[in-house]
Amino acid sequence: MSIPVIQTNAGREGWEAIVSDPSTAVISTDFDGVLSPLVEDPARSRPVEGALDALARLARSVNQVAIVTGRPALVATELSGVSGHPGLGSLVVLGHYGLERWDAATGKVTSEPVPEGVTKARDRLPGLLREVGVPDAFVEDKDSSLAVHTRRLEDPAGALELLRAPLTALAQETGLRLEPGNLVLELRPPGIDKGVALRRLIESTGARSILYAGDDLGDLAAYRAIQAQRDNGLRGVLLATRSSNATELIEAADIVVDDPSGVVTVLTALSDAISAR
């Protein structure tokens, strides 16, 4: 399989670093919109055909394979089907933006305490949604954060704008942060994001190179963490899908694909290049 179009010199350097020394490389991806297509009901997310096999093939050569997601670690583990998958015995799932970690080797989850502000926001949300006039907005309770989705509503974009100001105020009152996404606004503890999770993963593995695949604005923090460490010698490949049409993420990426099937193509090309070397 041929090498995908890599748009930047930094991306080409990152690709070559992974191929030439896979034992010091980390392969990390988001789940929704990257391994799995975006769906109206988050509980129905499933990986596209070939996604887990592509990760498993890379896992034979690289230092670490990880899924980094805003979902609870066990939820992501169940939906992705990684538990017990041949070849993914060393995979880790960093859930809740790194507040939780599931290790395939042990099947156990380790976690940090959930801030009190999340409980306060959880109690306030139903009344707030009624007051704003969007009581049917779907609230995805992730235990350590709360995501308000408008995708199922008649006017998703309009509902999102109606919610932005009151949810911003609620975040301020509860000491949380409001993070926008594709037809979603998420109330999240401060200092917790995919960038923090990725930095910890890089430090714990001693990675010299990394590929990270994302699709939405929440993945920008992961991109920025990699970009910041490029000055310190880390080589990285930033892969984006167009699943969420996150313009800022797409513009920052080294490789852009249309959807999760494109991610499988890139991961397969990377494992082919490693095998050929």
Side-chain angles (χ1 to χ4, degrees), residues 34 73 82 99 179 208:
V34 178
V82 295
L99 278 175
E179 293 289 340
R208 296 179 184 174

Side-chain angles (χ1 to χ4, degrees), residues 51 67 78 80 96 104 112 139 182-183 188 233 246-247 256 272 275-276:
I67 293 174
E78 179 180 352
S80 65
H96 285 321
E112 299 180 17
V139 178
N182 181 28
L183 298 178
R188 189 189 307 168
T247 302
V256 180
D272 284 348
S275 297

Side-chain angles (χ1 to χ4, degrees), residues 35-272:
L35 298 179
S36 165
L38 294 178
V39 292
E40 287 193 3
D41 183 356
R44 295 183 178 274
S45 294
R46 298 293 185 275
V48 294
E49 184 178 355
L52 298 189
D53 290 339
L55 288 176
R57 187 178 174 197
L58 283 165
R60 295 200 296 264
S61 303
V62 302
N63 182 300
Q64 182 70 71
V65 172
I67 293 174
V68 186
T69 174
R71 290 181 183 262
L74 284 178
V75 171
T77 299
E78 179 180 352
L79 294 178
S80 65
V82 295
S83 180
H85 185 282
L88 291 178
S90 61
L91 177 127
V92 298
V93 175
L94 304 180
H96 285 321
Y97 305 95
L99 278 175
E100 292 185 347
R101 174 179 171 129
W102 176 85
D103 284 88
T106 64
K108 295 181 179 179
V109 173
T110 55
S111 61
E112 299 180 17
V114 177
E116 183 181 355
V118 176
T119 301
K120 294 179 180 178
R122 181 180 292 114
D123 293 339
R124 292 276 307 281
L125 259 181
L128 182 149
L129 295 179
R130 287 193 298 270
E131 290 170 13
V132 176
V134 285
D136 295 330
F138 172 63
V139 178
E140 183 184 3
D141 192 334
K142 302 180 181 180
D143 295 334
S144 66
S145 66
L146 302 158
V148 183
H149 297 263
T150 63
R151 187 175 288 110
R152 302 179 185 178
L153 301 179
E154 186 175 345
D155 180 10
L160 198 74
E161 287 310 307
L162 282 175
L163 286 166
R164 196 177 300 274
L167 286 180
T168 297
L170 179 60
Q172 292 171 346
E173 292 169 15
T174 54
L176 302 176
R177 213 172 65 190
L178 189 68
E179 293 289 340
N182 181 28
L183 298 178
V184 61
L185 294 167
E186 185 164 356
L187 294 156
R188 189 189 307 168
I192 299 297
D193 58 37
K194 291 180 181 179
V196 174
L198 216 56
R199 282 195 296 272
R200 291 174 178 172
L201 184 64
I202 292 167
E203 291 170 2
S204 66
T205 59
R208 296 179 184 174
S209 60
I210 186 168
L211 178 146
Y212 180 79
D215 76 300
D216 208 346
L217 295 177
D219 296 300
L220 277 172
Y223 273 27
R224 289 168 182 155
I226 293 171
Q227 289 166 335
Q229 295 207 37
R230 277 172 166 167
D231 292 338
N232 297 324
L234 181 74
R235 297 291 179 260
V237 179
L238 308 178
L239 170 60
T241 77
R242 301 184 189 275
S243 300
S244 296
N245 294 314
T247 302
E248 191 174 354
L249 189 82
I250 291 168
E251 290 177 347
D254 303 311
I255 302 173
V256 180
V257 296
D258 288 334
D259 51 32
S261 293
V263 173
V264 175
T265 298
V266 172
L267 297 181
T268 301
L270 182 57
S271 60
D272 284 348

